[in-house]
Amino acid sequence: MGCLALEISKPRFTRIGALVQQGEDFVVGRRPLTFNINALITSANVTPTGYTSTNSAPSTFESAVEYLSALAEHHLTLLRKQRNNAATDEADCRKKFIARCLFRKLARNNSTEYRHGPFQLYCDDFRPSNVLVDVESFRVNAVIDLEFTYVAPTEFTYVTPWWLMLQSPEDWDFEIDHCGFLSHYKSRLHQFLDVLRSCEYEKIADGTLLESQRLAARMESSMGSSLFWVCIAARYSSMFDDIYWNFLDELYYGSFRSIEDRAQLLDERERTKLGEIFQMKMEQAKERTLDENFSTDDLVDL
């Protein structure tokens, strides 16, 4: 996995987005199809309209902050458009809306080292279960399920891999035992980094990797910052609230005293929306209907 991660990270690009073929070359030419967006469209009855290119929503992105801000907007869009079971009560609704607004704020103000690139290839679904290995020689035969590969912020590559737990992030159980989760994850991380460093030394020795293309040191340092959790929260709608409140809120906004204190950090427009969103959710809950974004035939095709 270490050698594969190094190979995927080698190409460099000047914009964020999906690759399209132009003649014999591949260029960044359209909005990325991510694992999260695909899951929302196919499983959560979310219309793809909000994730396609428009005059106000670019097809590609020129900075990491621009892209992270777009992902933060996706979380707010889903909360507004999910008609049923989006919140259990008014307090839950307010807390979810505030979390998404504050995450959008930190995404906009996130001063990343590689804000304007160069950017690197990243695959949302790169994991051990998608690597085919010859059981006799232990050599990699193929990597599959690369449809969610796109050019992403460099930080996505430089943070530690989510797949070290051999579980999807949605299955992580850090709420029950926060410290136990981190301890287990870090033990896996140390093993992976040892292997990754060995791969780096071998590739540098045979001339297939530059010193500047090393990943191990950058990944190791990412666990000491908020970057790992910012990237996970940005990419996974289903676990956004757990990640934000457990790992990001106090780090960015100080000791938590009450949700009303956090509400004071919203701007005037956000506070107005905060007063409206619960009423909208209650009206939607009473209707108990679904927006018909897809026909029956379309749903079968999905």
Side-chain angles (χ1 to χ4, degrees):
M1 293 298 291
C3 290
L4 291 174
L6 289 169
E7 291 301 318
I8 292 173
S9 70
K10 283 182 180 179
R12 298 292 194 272
F13 302 87
T14 58
R15 294 187 70 85
I16 294 170
L19 293 178
V20 297
Q21 188 169 6
Q22 290 186 354
E24 296 182 356
D25 297 324
F26 285 89
V27 299
V28 177
R30 64 186 182 197
R31 203 174 181 88
L33 173 63
T34 67
F35 188 92
N36 188 57
I37 289 176
N38 183 71
L40 293 177
I41 292 173
T42 58
S43 303
N45 193 40
V46 172
T47 172
T49 304
Y51 305 107
T52 54
S53 303
T54 64
N55 291 335
S56 60
S59 60
T60 62
F61 302 85
E62 64 179 13
S63 75
V65 170
E66 185 182 11
Y67 182 63
L68 286 172
S69 297
L71 296 185
E73 290 289 350
H74 291 172
H75 293 321
L76 276 163
T77 298
L78 180 60
L79 180 63
R80 286 193 293 263
K81 291 190 174 183
Q82 183 180 340
R83 296 185 60 86
N84 303 308
N85 305 319
T88 56
D89 53 31
E90 183 173 5
D92 182 51
C93 185
R94 288 171 62 84
K95 187 175 182 180
K96 286 179 175 177
F97 183 79
I98 289 170
R100 283 153 180 77
C101 289
L102 294 181
F103 183 76
R104 179 173 60 182
K105 189 186 299 290
L106 73 85
R108 288 172 175 171
N109 297 326
N110 194 11
S111 180
T112 60
E113 181 180 354
Y114 303 95
R115 175 177 295 208
H116 295 289
F119 306 115
Q120 295 171 266
L121 280 179
Y122 183 82
C123 179
D124 283 338
D125 206 21
F126 178 64
R127 64 176 86 194
S129 59
N130 285 337
V131 177
L132 305 183
V133 178
D134 187 303
V135 295
E136 294 183 358
S137 65
F138 290 102
R139 295 182 64 86
V140 173
N141 284 338
V143 179
I144 61 174
D145 291 349
L146 295 174
E147 63 267 37
F148 302 115
T149 301
Y150 54 97
V151 180
T154 298
E155 286 76 11
F156 283 18
T157 295
Y158 287 171
V159 298
T160 57
W162 60 265
W163 44 261
L164 292 178
M165 299 294 284
L166 301 181
Q167 292 177 312
S168 295
E170 294 92 338
D171 298 324
W172 292 351
D173 194 14
F174 50 74
E175 273 199 307
I176 296 175
D177 186 4
H178 181 169
C179 294
F181 168 82
L182 289 177
S183 177
H184 190 195
Y185 181 87
K186 288 180 179 180
S187 67
R188 297 280 185 90
L189 174 61
H190 293 321
Q191 294 174 348
F192 172 72
L193 291 178
D194 287 342
V195 173
L196 182 58
R197 287 191 178 96
S198 295
C199 293
E200 290 174 344
Y201 288 129
E202 291 176 7
K203 287 182 173 295
I204 289 173
D206 65 22
T208 59
L209 188 75
L210 302 176
E211 283 285 346
S212 61
Q213 294 174 320
R214 286 179 178 268
L215 297 179
R218 294 182 173 102
M219 286 185 176
E220 187 171 30
S221 66
S222 74
M223 281 305 293
S225 69
S226 64
L227 189 58
F228 174 78
W229 298 113
V230 169
C231 292
I232 291 289
R235 295 204 310 270
Y236 289 92
S237 297
S238 61
M239 60 183 302
F240 170 81
D241 294 279
D242 289 335
I243 293 294
Y244 177 80
W245 291 112
N246 278 289
F247 299 104
L248 293 175
D249 180 74
E250 291 197 351
L251 189 62
Y252 279 88
Y253 299 109
S255 180
F256 181 85
R257 293 189 297 272
S258 72
I259 196 66
E260 295 309 317
D261 285 340
R262 288 294 189 256
Q264 297 307 308
L265 299 175
L266 306 187
D267 61 32
E268 183 177 351
R269 184 171 179 271
E270 290 169 337
R271 285 196 292 271
T272 300
K273 294 292 184 182
L274 177 61
E276 298 172 352
I277 189 166
F278 177 68
Q279 185 61 36
M280 180 179 69
K281 293 290 108 178
M282 291 301 97
E283 291 174 359
Q284 291 174 344
K286 289 178 182 178
E287 295 170 0
R288 300 301 296 179
T289 60
L290 289 175
D291 293 326
E292 295 185 5
N293 296 323
F294 303 99
S295 67
T296 302
D297 290 340
D298 288 336
L299 289 172
V300 171
D301 290 338
L302 290 174

